[in-house]
Amino acid sequence: MGILDEIQYLVSDKLQVVSYKWLSRNFLVSSDDAKRLLRDFVEKHETGVEVLYTLAGWKKNDPSLYRVRLASKHALAEAKQEFDGNCSVEIYSVQACLPKDPAVLGNAECVQAGELFKQLQSVDNCLRDNRFCRVSNSFVKRNGGGTQETSTLPQVKSEGAFGPQIKTLLHQNPTPAQPKKGQVADVVKDVKDSSYISGAHEQNSKPALQEVKLSGFPGNVKKVADNKSSGNGALANMWGRASSKTKIECVSAETSATNNSSDAQVCARENIEHQSSDDEFQGVNIKRASNGKTGRKRKVIFDVSDEEDEYKDAVNLASPDPPAKPASKQMFQSSDLEKNKLNFEEEKEKPDVKDNNEVDGVSNRILKEKSVALSKDDTTKALSLDNGRNSASAGTTSEHKMTDTATRSPQRRKVVKTRIDERGREVTEVVWEGDEAETKTNSSAAKKVDNTTASNTSSRPSVNKKSPAVGSNATNQVGKAGNKKAGNKDPKQGSLMSFFKKV
Amino acid sequence: MLELRLVQGSLLKKVLDAIKDLVNDANFDCSASGFSLQAMDSSHVALVALLLRSEGFEHYRCDRSLSMGMNLNNMAKMLKCAGNDDIITIKGDDGSDTVTFMFESPTQDKISDFEMKLMDIDSEHLGIPEAEYHAIVRMPSAEFARICKDLSSIGDTVVISVTKEGVKFSTRGDIGAANIVCRQNTTVDKPEDATVIEMNEPVSLTFALRYLNSFTKASPLSNSVTISLSSELPVVVEYKIAEMGYIRFYLAPKIEEEDEEAKS
């Protein structure tokens, strides 16, 4: 294949670090295919290239930490030890030699991302629509004014029902805002910050890794929602094509109410700052907060339909990812074709609240793709802590994701939506629509989900501690033996506890 | 990483059958030395302690100590799917929430995999001190099982008294009373048929028959059973498991005036 030669050229002649992300964007293949290409490449050129692997899994000594880290070939086995049980191992990048400064790893990507972001907003590049993200994303609409549109409202209602926000969107869509210079810079910086091996912040770091702390509690985000309006646009841009819309939303929201929408970024940034002092690692604590405090209300729309998920080559309605193409030449054409397929001549021209093929181009960097569920949630900040954790575990395997979707189905439902995309084409998609409030109030339900998607020991179903009190009416649990005296404990019967002490 | 290969898979089946009625959920503790379990019944009257030493397994790999919470009924269900001659392999991963039982038929033409979900069990681990028992009775396990079964049809409790003459099991109920005395008998063809009584001082204790009956479900594991008694201590009913370990049941005595029973 031509790409393999290209990689060979880049690695050996240009001495460039070829990461799967770079590969994915440069050759317009999905990130899975990019990883596969790298794998093929490594198999072919086993000697002469250095491989960096990315490992993701739950930390061994702290199961609540989902950790993503990089490791070289030699340190791979050792790195695996840090994980609790299974961790995923995939190739992150190939290069001629291991760079001394981890920042080098991000250079090519950074330049690439910068270029992509500098393109006109109307140009649909792969970072904006995030078409190569393996995971279909879910979306949140942040309603800055504090009013919530309950998801029980079918999206296909008449325009007016959506209130001012939709109108804003409608109004603004045809003329998407051009990101300003400063924002672009911001974005680039953020891109750097959040990449595995990031630049500026991380001179002190070893090969980088990130830890996503899932233990955030509602209180953790207190500091957040001040007025970091400068961050607003940047974050919005970071998350792909959502950018234009999210940004507009934010802008409109700012005028009316508090700008809560920035807190995801603020949070991430704070955590970066916080942890950059840690010489062990560079991490991003993505804290999730239920937002009852600030009175924010949001809406989740999940577009996780049955067939899609993270399934590798699935092309689905909701996120028109073109299948991997070997040569970049055909790409734009074919992706166009792909998209056109999705256009239906339908009457109801309901613009969706959000664009569902917006996926997190940059959040890709925040987490490994497998855990995009995490960053997705963070992006949207729609889910409460429990759900976030749940999604995290869901992200680890696609099967879990399926379960996740399935078990939570009472809270969501599939909705067919038609909207007009940025190029004026009509797109019909099947999305999951959910209700945030419902999710929040049903924290018990969320816990249940947590249990079903158990992927670490902490989420095993637990059995109540048996106390003597319980024991008295549970003697029938002794089965046949317990039948005789079930119910009334013999007062004369001694207890073992009076003979043996607990250890 | 955990991998235990037990050629005599039927042992594990029997172990489960022996304890599943007594205990619902229990933690299996795997360490480099062996596979063990300690669990109390829900009313904290009886305790089962199981040990399968690592040497008894054909292959024993346990990289680090691991505690696996299992529902014993579910585990028994799965083990029931194994043939009596099958080789059973228990596999687990650190941090995984499942355990896998693999059954291989002796001819290797059938291999089954059963994966069972683990559970978090908050169990109380008791420290059991080594103790000198006043009396130790070894007798055929089938005999002991028969006695307990017979007596439970008459009464709820049994008084086990060890004297120089032998060991006496007595009960009384609504329909009447029963006494069974087993004398020491070492002149038998097979050593496991012997009844051996080591006694330092006479002891008489009362126990609930339903628990003893539950213990005797371990009889298939061993031809002989050892009953260790001491006043002020729970009785220990021990079944050896084919050179590789044991299953011990501890039962707290009933607090009762012994003479009340003995008056009969």
Side-chain angles (χ1 to χ4, degrees):
Chain A
M1 241 203 277
I3 295 187
L4 287 181
D5 296 336
E6 190 81 28
I7 299 174
Q8 166 78 16
Y9 166 72
L10 287 167
V11 171
S12 58
D13 292 356
K14 298 194 96 178
L15 298 177
Q16 188 190 317
V17 174
V18 179
S19 71
Y20 73 90
K21 282 181 279 183
W22 187 89
L23 202 63
S24 155
R25 287 181 200 133
N26 199 51
F27 293 103
L28 300 169
V29 296
S30 80
S31 45
D32 266 333
D33 286 310
K35 285 176 188 167
R36 214 169 295 135
L37 278 169
L38 287 181
R39 208 154 53 224
D40 293 345
F41 179 77
V42 171
E43 270 166 24
K44 227 166 135 184
H45 309 270
E46 244 174 10
T47 55
V49 292
E50 286 292 340
V51 188
L52 268 183
Y53 294 91
T54 163
L55 293 89
W58 296 96
K59 260 193 97 169
K60 195 181 252 171
N61 47 17
D62 187 352
S64 63
L65 282 183
Y66 192 81
R67 169 183 246 201
V68 181
R69 70 162 292 181
L70 297 186
S72 67
K73 213 186 302 181
H74 318 289
L76 191 61
E78 190 188 310
K80 272 184 191 172
Q81 298 298 316
E82 287 178 32
F83 290 93
D84 195 14
N86 289 330
C87 64
S88 73
V89 180
E90 297 194 74
I91 295 177
Y92 177 79
S93 66
V94 295
Q95 51 270 309
C97 60
L98 287 176
K100 284 213 174 67
D101 180 359
V104 174
L105 289 179
N107 277 353
E109 272 168 50
C110 211
V111 172
Q112 185 190 39
E115 274 166 10
L116 289 172
F117 272 114
K118 272 179 213 153
Q119 287 179 3
L120 288 180
Q121 193 78 17
S122 52
V123 178
D124 202 15
N125 66 42
C126 62
L127 206 53
R128 290 215 174 94
D129 66 8
N130 203 8
R131 67 182 80 122
F132 299 125
C133 181
R134 199 171 60 143
V135 180
S136 314
N137 208 344
S138 64
F139 295 92
V140 121
K141 188 179 111 186
R142 277 194 203 89
N143 207 338
T147 55
Q148 182 184 20
E149 296 178 35
T150 57
S151 68
T152 48
L153 289 178
Q155 295 282 314
V156 283
K157 274 209 312 192
S158 81
E159 213 173 285
F162 279 98
Q165 197 141 16
I166 297 293
K167 284 183 180 157
T168 321
L169 287 179
L170 270 178
H171 176 68
Q172 305 246 14
N173 267 345
T175 56
Q178 178 76 25
K180 289 166 198 151
K181 264 268 166 82
Q183 284 167 344
V184 172
D186 237 342
V187 167
V188 175
K189 186 163 171 286
D190 281 324
V191 165
K192 283 182 106 176
D193 286 350
S194 54
S195 61
Y196 295 113
I197 307 283
S198 47
H201 276 297
E202 309 202 0
Q203 286 94 346
N204 59 345
S205 70
K206 299 168 181 178
L209 45 92
Q210 299 194 346
E211 301 205 353
V212 180
K213 207 166 196 169
L214 293 172
S215 57
F217 288 102
N220 283 354
V221 202
K222 270 179 207 159
K223 294 184 280 180
V224 186
D226 291 345
N227 57 346
K228 312 231 176 171
S229 50
S230 65
N232 259 344
L235 180 67
N237 276 323
M238 278 176 66
W239 275 303
R241 200 164 64 182
S243 57
S244 55
K245 290 178 182 177
T246 321
K247 184 168 170 294
I248 292 160
E249 260 184 61
C250 296
V251 169
S252 64
E254 263 166 32
T255 57
S256 57
T258 59
N259 52 350
N260 296 316
S261 53
S262 66
D263 62 0
Q265 189 200 10
V266 172
C267 191
R269 290 183 147 213
E270 280 178 355
N271 285 314
I272 286 173
E273 281 161 21
H274 174 68
Q275 297 215 353
S276 59
S277 59
D278 187 344
D279 46 2
E280 264 294 304
F281 52 78
Q282 286 288 321
V284 178
N285 274 351
I286 297 174
K287 291 187 180 158
R288 217 159 271 97
S290 73
N291 30 17
K293 268 197 179 136
T294 51
R296 272 170 290 153
K297 294 183 182 167
R298 307 184 191 104
K299 175 187 228 169
V300 203
I301 299 160
F302 288 86
D303 58 348
V304 191
S305 68
D306 293 334
E307 310 78 22
E308 46 179 65
D309 284 332
E310 298 152 322
Y311 203 70
K312 295 202 166 175
D313 294 320
V315 176
N316 59 59
L317 282 175
S319 62
D321 291 351
K325 294 292 184 296
S328 55
K329 306 273 178 190
Q330 312 158 358
M331 279 314 293
F332 280 112
Q333 283 181 340
S334 56
S335 70
D336 275 356
L337 283 176
E338 196 65 41
K339 287 193 169 180
N340 285 332
K341 278 187 212 158
L342 301 167
N343 293 344
F344 295 93
E345 305 286 321
E346 277 194 35
E347 283 308 298
K348 322 172 249 178
E349 294 198 350
K350 276 301 130 239
D352 195 349
V353 180
K354 286 224 181 171
D355 186 353
N356 276 303
N357 46 17
E358 151 203 351
V359 195
D360 40 351
V362 178
S363 68
N364 231 349
R365 296 154 172 266
I366 294 182
L367 285 177
K368 200 169 161 288
E369 279 192 349
K370 280 197 168 184
S371 55
V372 160
L374 263 182
S375 53
K376 151 187 100 187
D377 289 340
D378 189 54
T379 317
T380 58
K381 290 201 60 155
L383 300 174
S384 64
L385 171 62
D386 272 335
N387 291 337
R389 184 187 293 252
N390 173 41
S391 313
S393 57
T396 55
T397 64
S398 51
E399 293 85 25
H400 278 141
K401 180 105 181 187
M402 298 294 279
T403 338
D404 180 39
T405 331
T407 49
R408 296 174 50 131
S409 51
Q411 292 171 294
R412 283 180 261 142
R413 56 183 189 280
K414 246 182 194 176
V415 175
V416 179
K417 290 177 184 171
T418 311
R419 59 172 178 80
I420 302 216
D421 74 0
E422 287 175 357
R423 292 186 182 179
R425 294 174 306 202
E426 196 177 341
V427 175
T428 304
E429 8 182 69
V430 180
V431 300
W432 283 99
E433 182 181 292
D435 187 352
E436 224 269 299
E438 215 173 70
T439 313
K440 264 200 280 180
T441 52
N442 284 350
S443 65
S444 62
K447 274 175 195 159
K448 205 169 64 194
V449 172
D450 208 356
N451 286 341
T452 55
T453 59
S455 70
N456 61 352
T457 53
S458 66
S459 53
R460 287 180 196 170
S462 66
V463 166
N464 288 336
K465 183 173 177 172
K466 293 167 193 158
S467 64
V470 172
S472 63
N473 58 5
T475 44
N476 54 356
Q477 289 178 358
V478 194
K480 197 183 153 196
N483 286 342
K484 278 186 186 172
K485 291 196 174 180
N488 57 341
K489 194 183 172 188
D490 190 346
K492 290 173 181 170
Q493 175 65 61
S495 168
L496 274 183
M497 305 301 283
S498 55
F499 296 98
F500 302 139
K501 293 282 168 284
K502 283 185 197 173
V503 197
Chain B
M1 180 68 190
L2 172 83
E3 206 169 283
L4 321 181
R5 185 176 157 95
L6 184 63
V7 177
Q8 210 180 336
S10 59
L11 283 184
L12 198 59
K13 289 164 65 97
K14 290 175 187 168
V15 164
L16 258 287
D17 285 338
I19 58 179
K20 72 173 169 31
D21 286 343
L22 197 64
V23 180
N24 288 319
D25 308 295
N27 281 319
F28 281 88
D29 301 311
C30 307
S31 68
S33 59
F35 188 66
S36 63
L37 169 148
Q38 194 204 77
M40 269 189 287
D41 83 303
S42 55
S43 52
H44 290 198
V45 170
L47 180 145
V48 55
L50 167 76
L51 174 69
L52 297 173
R53 282 185 282 269
S54 55
E55 304 87 63
F57 292 87
E58 187 200 53
H59 168 72
Y60 191 96
R61 178 180 170 194
C62 179
D63 296 345
R64 67 185 181 98
S65 296
L66 198 62
S67 183
M68 297 186 293
M70 303 193 202
N71 178 297
L72 298 185
N73 271 307
N74 293 346
M75 185 179 173
K77 273 182 200 164
M78 292 204 167
L79 292 180
K80 275 214 166 63
C81 304
N84 276 331
D85 303 326
D86 282 4
I87 299 166
I88 297 183
T89 308
I90 303 173
K91 291 189 226 173
D93 280 318
D94 296 347
S96 161
D97 58 347
T98 57
V99 62
T100 303
F101 304 108
M102 191 175 80
F103 311 140
E104 297 165 60
S105 71
T107 49
Q108 296 287 321
D109 49 8
K110 182 178 148 198
I111 294 172
S112 336
D113 260 287
F114 287 76
E115 189 181 274
M116 192 179 76
K117 291 176 188 162
L118 296 178
M119 8 178 28
D120 263 345
I121 295 167
D122 196 0
S123 70
E124 295 147 335
H125 213 81
L126 297 188
I128 300 170
E130 289 288 316
E132 281 285 310
Y133 285 90
H134 296 163
I136 297 172
V137 176
R138 185 160 64 84
M139 64 190 295
S141 58
E143 190 62 60
F144 179 62
R146 177 70 195 264
I147 291 168
C148 293
K149 182 166 152 274
D150 289 349
L151 293 188
S152 64
S153 63
I154 296 170
D156 291 338
T157 60
V158 61
V159 180
I160 304 179
S161 321
V162 185
T163 60
K164 276 186 183 139
E165 285 75 46
V167 54
K168 183 174 81 171
F169 302 87
S170 42
T171 188
R172 75 167 33 248
D174 297 338
I175 60 166
N179 291 293
I180 299 172
V181 178
C182 295
R183 294 195 188 283
Q184 172 146 316
N185 171 21
T186 47
T187 57
V188 286
D189 296 341
K190 287 184 273 181
E192 59 261 33
D193 288 342
T195 302
V196 184
I197 298 169
E198 297 168 30
M199 190 200 76
N200 298 326
E201 54 184 278
V203 60
S204 180
L205 290 165
T206 309
F207 300 101
L209 272 168
R210 60 195 177 97
Y211 287 106
L212 292 179
N213 265 320
S214 182
F215 300 166
T216 59
K217 293 210 161 52
S219 298
L221 281 167
S222 171
N223 287 322
S224 66
V225 60
T226 307
I227 306 160
S228 308
L229 297 137
S230 216
S231 47
E232 317 302 318
L233 274 182
V235 63
V236 186
V237 179
E238 173 176 333
Y239 297 84
K240 291 255 183 282
I241 301 174
E243 309 294 317
M244 66 182 298
Y246 57 78
I247 182 165
R248 285 181 189 153
F249 298 96
Y250 295 81
L251 177 60
K254 298 196 88 167
I255 309 150
E256 211 160 355
E257 303 305 327
E258 269 114 43
D259 27 349
E260 194 179 296
E261 295 279 331
K263 263 177 207 164
S264 66

